[in-house]
Amino acid sequence: MTETSAAAARLRAEAAKRVLVTDGAFGTMIQGYRLTEADYRGGIDLSRDQKGNNDLLAISRPHVIAEITEAYLAAGSDIVSTNTFNANTISQADYGAEHLVRDINLAAAQIACNAARNAEAADGRPRFVAGAIGPTNKTLSLSPDVNDPGYRAISFDELRDVYREQMDALLDGGVDFILIETIFDTLNCKAGIVAAIEAGQARGVEVPLMISFTVTDMSGRNLSGHTVDSFWASIRHAKPLTVGLNCSFGAPQLRPHVVSLAAIADTLIMVYPNAGLPNELGQYDEAPETTGGFIGQWADQGLVNVVGGCCGTTPEHIREIAKAVTGKPPRAVPKPPVRTLLSGLDPMTIAA
């Protein structure tokens, strides 16, 4: 028998009372430390240049990741994520660090869990940890070779196994939920869902999923061509704890897609946009108060249950977001009519 998740039940109870806040960007904060290649490497014997391997910092410079996590908690985060966006064998192959994937995920999970426990002990407010899993640089839906449309760089089973390895380490490290984020390919997400189901079956426990779609252009589709509505039709069978959007654009550009998803998803909505659009140098100029104001409007309109920030956001952005949603009622989870809902690139509803 599968044991239900006490953490998921606890999160739902908190989300019924108020709009919850997740954290912001790790990469933006890490840039501020101006780390050298030697800092990233930390004495670990690796043959390739490690500068930019942010995930490795969980074992080479754990105090950096701990400080950033603690700053987000101090700013008002109810949920913090692990710094493991690229802590998988596909992404770590770029650095020749595939053999460290389990160690990185274990360490990152333990850093986040320790920080969350300490924050909760200090003020009694429940805190949660999401094990973050990025999309990798592979896509199951598209060929990387324009001359061979049927070619795929990786199979579904191979990607499922990559996700499973990362999930097992994160769960062993103590995370409450698995966050499959920045989903640009719906089939990649489905491989992650299968991995989570299998991980839960092996443990005899529920593995709660937080699933986050990313819009790749102004038409509101991801790279595999799905709209937000068709994406929900494709993954709703997983019964995620939260579903939503992250990255992509700033809050104003994401708003219509948040409206669409909020109307149809019978679960919690979590959205964490970028701090506006990047400038010519790739930097994010949107002030914390501006980001907070946009997200506060979402809360005013009853669109969200969990909010936070993605690229370009800092603890100051999270502090302003937390202030903007304080005292505002959370989105009421709808009960859509029972219909057969199918997914192509667009959704199709078969009415009774």
Side-chain angles (χ1 to χ4, degrees), residues 13-92:
E14 290 300 309
K17 304 173 191 173
R18 57 197 171 89
V19 177
L20 302 180
V21 179
T22 188
D23 56 11
F26 271 84
T28 300
M29 296 299 294
I30 289 169
Q31 288 175 8
Y33 282 81
R34 302 187 180 280
L35 301 175
T36 65
E37 196 277 339
D39 292 325
Y40 277 94
R41 180 181 296 271
I44 301 169
D45 185 15
L46 292 163
S47 60
R48 298 185 188 175
D49 191 308
Q50 296 302 308
K51 190 172 176 66
N53 189 359
N54 290 344
D55 305 77
L56 185 64
L57 296 172
I59 53 177
S60 63
R61 289 290 182 272
H63 71 280
V64 170
I65 305 306
E67 286 173 3
I68 294 169
T69 305
E70 289 162 2
Y72 281 124
L73 288 162
S77 294
D78 300 289
I79 304 164
V80 287
S81 54
T82 56
N83 180 50
T84 51
F85 188 83
N86 288 310
N88 60 75
T89 52
I90 293 171
S91 300
Q92 287 301 309

Side-chain angles (χ1 to χ4, degrees), residues 47 87 138 196 233 241 253 275 337 345 348:
S47 60
K138 306 293 185 186
L241 176 63
Q253 292 83 2
L345 294 183
M348 183 178 73

Side-chain angles (χ1 to χ4, degrees), residues 264-287:
I264 60 174
D266 55 351
T267 191
L268 303 175
I269 294 291
M270 180 167 79
V271 189
Y272 48 115
N274 292 346
L277 295 169
N279 61 27
E280 310 80 50
L281 301 176
Q283 302 298 310
Y284 292 85
D285 299 324
E286 187 170 278

Side-chain angles (χ1 to χ4, degrees), residues 282-297:
Q283 302 298 310
Y284 292 85
D285 299 324
E286 187 170 278
E289 297 82 1
T290 303
T291 307
F294 289 140
I295 291 180
Q297 292 171 14

Side-chain angles (χ1 to χ4, degrees), residues 102-277:
R102 179 169 174 81
D103 292 341
I104 291 170
N105 282 283
L106 276 173
Q110 289 161 0
I111 289 168
C113 288
N114 288 339
R117 279 195 296 267
N118 291 340
E120 183 170 340
D123 63 15
R125 194 170 89 244
R127 302 304 205 288
F128 305 89
V129 175
I133 293 182
T136 80
N137 57 13
K138 306 293 185 186
T139 172
L140 290 172
S141 295
L142 303 168
S143 172
D145 184 351
V146 294
N147 297 312
D148 186 359
Y151 172 71
R152 296 295 182 269
I154 192 170
S155 73
F156 185 95
D157 288 349
E158 288 169 335
L159 186 56
R160 175 204 61 197
D161 292 345
V162 167
Y163 284 140
R164 175 69 188 277
E165 178 185 20
Q166 185 177 6
M167 287 178 188
D168 280 340
L170 288 168
L171 292 167
D172 287 346
V175 302
D176 296 308
F177 323 119
I178 292 295
L179 167 61
I180 304 174
E181 62 177 336
T182 319
I183 298 163
F184 60 74
D185 184 336
T186 302
L187 195 55
N188 282 29
C189 177
K190 292 173 84 70
I193 289 169
V194 172
I197 291 170
E198 292 180 352
Q201 289 171 340
R203 294 165 182 267
V205 299
E206 175 192 1
V207 175
L209 284 174
M210 307 175 97
I211 294 178
S212 192
F213 176 96
T214 192
V215 175
T216 55
D217 60 41
M218 296 305 289
S219 72
R221 297 180 185 270
N222 67 356
L223 192 64
S224 57
H226 297 90
T227 63
V228 169
D229 296 40
S230 61
F231 175 76
W232 172 244
S234 187
I235 61 91
R236 65 178 181 145
H237 66 90
K239 297 184 171 154
L241 176 63
T242 72
V243 68
L245 301 98
N246 76 289
C247 204
S248 308
F249 308 110
Q253 292 83 2
L254 278 190
R255 185 187 175 281
H257 311 301
V258 176
V259 170
S260 295
L261 190 58
I264 60 174
D266 55 351
T267 191
L268 303 175
I269 294 291
M270 180 167 79
V271 189
Y272 48 115
N274 292 346
L277 295 169

